[in-house]
Amino acid sequence: MLEPDIFLSATAKMAHQAVDYGSTDPSSLLEAQRSAFREQDSALEMLASDVSRVKAISRAALDEVTTQNAYLDVMSKEMERVRACVSHAERDSRTPWTNPFTLRNFCALLWPLVLLGLFLVWCLRLL
């Protein structure tokens, strides 16, 4: 991470001190300023790379959140489907189950078969 006073590096401080002490040598002031600008440029390059990394991380986080939202939407739809199935099963469990194999139903199915059998026996006797 960048330090708070990165822009006031040692060279920049020397340039300020040269101005404070009344140094009027333009070449030394110019060199101090150029050195300060180079240090500031390198600090800005580091800052730009940090910003690029943060941008990449935030894009990856956005992609992950988008994917998770899609998963949650699918899960929500599935939960609604399951909730409907459970509600239907619960409603069906409230109605009593009746056994279709009762004596009455058995007799209702058996008596036409008995009549058919008697009819076939009668038809065979006539031959």
Side-chain angles (χ1 to χ4, degrees):
M1 221 45 186
L2 297 176
E3 296 176 13
D5 62 346
I6 189 86
F7 293 109
L8 293 176
S9 62
T11 309
K13 289 178 184 175
M14 287 185 344
H16 286 297
Q17 288 173 356
V19 171
D20 289 341
Y21 293 127
S23 174
T24 57
D25 184 18
S27 62
S28 66
L29 286 176
L30 184 62
E31 186 57 38
Q33 286 177 346
R34 284 183 182 158
S35 178
F37 286 146
R38 279 192 297 270
E39 287 182 16
Q40 287 176 355
D41 286 344
S42 69
L44 286 175
E45 287 173 3
M46 289 187 333
L47 181 63
S49 74
D50 287 346
V51 167
S52 295
R53 281 195 302 270
V54 169
K55 184 177 179 181
I57 290 170
S58 65
R59 283 189 178 169
L62 175 66
D63 290 344
E64 183 65 26
V65 167
T66 303
T67 303
Q68 294 299 326
N69 279 338
Y71 289 148
L72 287 174
D73 289 341
V74 169
M75 285 177 56
S76 176
K77 288 177 184 175
E78 286 296 313
M79 290 300 294
E80 286 298 321
R81 186 185 65 78
V82 168
R83 185 177 293 125
C85 288
V86 167
S87 174
H88 182 71
E90 185 180 60
R91 185 179 45 232
D92 286 349
S93 70
R94 287 189 207 130
T95 58
W97 183 76
T98 57
N99 188 357
F101 304 109
T102 61
L103 184 59
R104 180 178 180 204
N105 289 343
F106 177 72
C107 290
L109 289 174
L110 185 64
W111 118 249
L113 291 174
V114 168
L115 286 179
L116 180 65
L118 289 174
F119 179 73
L120 288 174
V121 168
W122 181 73
C123 287
L124 289 176
R125 275 183 69 188
L126 290 179
L127 291 176

